[in-house]
Amino acid sequence: MRHARRRVVRRVTRLAAVGGLLLGGTMVTHAVASEPGTPDAVPFSTASPGDGAAAGPGAALVQRLGTSRTAGTWVGGDGRTVVAVTDQEAAEEVRAAGAEPKMVRHSMDDFDSATRTLSSAPRVPGTAWLKDYRSNQVVVRGDSTVSADDWSSLTDVADGIGDFVRMERVEGAFTTRLAGGLPVLSTAGRCSAGFNVTDGEREFILTAGHCGPQGSVWFSDSGARQKVGTTVGGSFPGDDYSLIAYDGGKAGDNAGVVAVGGNKGVRITGVADPTVGQRIFRSGSTSGLRDGEVTALDVTVNYPEGTVGGLIESDVCAEPGDSGGPMFSEGIALGVTSGGSGDCRSGGITYFQPVTKALADLDLKMIVAPGAEGGGGSPSPAPSQAQGVTAPDAATPGSSTPVRGILPDPSTLVSRLADPRNVGPGLLVMGGSLVALVASRWIRAEQDRKAYRRQYSATWG
């Protein structure tokens, strides 16, 4: 009876081992068949400001009416476009276009003249100025590092311009956010990857210019083992953007996705300029995904390292290490994080380099996600003309997607073997089945030898 049970166990073990070999072989075959192609074969589309992207109908109205008759445009609390105008005829044109006019005293020409005068004054680090469309004023800000004498001198300059210049002191200090999207690290510090861009042949990370000079080598891990690429160009001060050329020349899977934390990302589908009042989202390697509102455009900031102009201002927070991270809304790329004041505990002000300016200067295109979920390389839809006039509370970051392969992923061997998309699980099943088959054969042979010795001893002992 005992021998019969052993024979059944051995037969079941052999059948299971053979079945395991067949199953493992099938798993390996399927994994190889479904293995994603090389980075060269990853489908993506591109977008640039010239592809029809626009900040909204207000920008077109301002351009048509001219800078002497308008003083900016913004999104109202109800999502309607508001355009500041200086005469009744312009107001009628705005109203006929379906937007809301607001009569003001000072035009964009007045704003431009005021900011030119401020720029020609002696430079004071820790100051910034902006055109506040909604109050029809130019606002000059000074942080806590500005001395009383410097503030007094700048106030004298403002008084000479006119009563539409407003002086404000703010807490904290205007600093670049160098310490992350995903973090990139070098000897210059820690920044965040912004957007993936391309010249048609090579692919790059667009990030902040102050993150590091040309030649800076970047890694995705603190041990400097996972190399990302090298800084090959940019502009800072003046502007605040730079390019990191990927070490292998390609961004890899999900090139049109930006990371927002929790192994999730947002599909980027276009590029545009923002509108004042628009709700935006910012992602960084220090503070993660945060949201806020665009409060001003064409802002000049005097950082300790130098002056940067043409920035976007927002009331979203940021912290050191968030520099270079992406700013977007409804999947539309808008800017990369430059600097600001405050933090994400007490709040603050953050400035962004417009993506459109960087792409135009560098003659590059944004890499965007395919136009439809799983739709291969079909063209992405151009951002709507009304993209910039979404009601602030109704805006979302964009369509969510899992994040894989934006930067080199230092996955463990165990996680790689456990991934059903790899050949690892199949090989493990095959290996285990072979071990079981060999073991069952060895056990049977050993049992036969013992039985023979018992029989031999009983006969000749």
Side-chain angles (χ1 to χ4, degrees), residues 23 38 44 122 197 272 346:
L23 175 62
T38 63
F44 63 81
V197 297
S346 59

Side-chain angles (χ1 to χ4, degrees), residues 347-399:
I349 299 169
T350 302
Y351 301 106
F352 301 88
Q353 166 70 48
V355 167
T356 53
K357 174 68 160 53
L359 292 178
D361 289 353
L362 297 166
D363 193 23
L364 298 171
K365 288 181 177 290
M366 180 75 60
I367 296 177
V368 296
E373 193 70 40
S378 57
S380 299
S384 167
Q385 291 292 314
Q387 176 265 333
V389 296
T390 303
D393 292 339
T396 61
S399 71

Side-chain angles (χ1 to χ4, degrees), residues 206-265:
L206 180 66
T207 188
H210 69 263
C211 284
Q214 187 160 330
S216 299
V217 180
W218 296 92
F219 301 88
S220 63
D221 67 311
S222 58
R225 291 181 296 271
Q226 298 284 333
K227 184 179 178 182
V228 176
T230 304
T231 300
V232 294
S235 176
F236 179 81
D239 300 294
D240 196 0
Y241 59 78
S242 66
L243 282 181
I244 299 174
Y246 277 102
D247 194 38
K250 299 294 181 180
D253 295 341
N254 290 330
V257 176
V258 296
V260 296
N263 293 324
K264 295 186 181 300

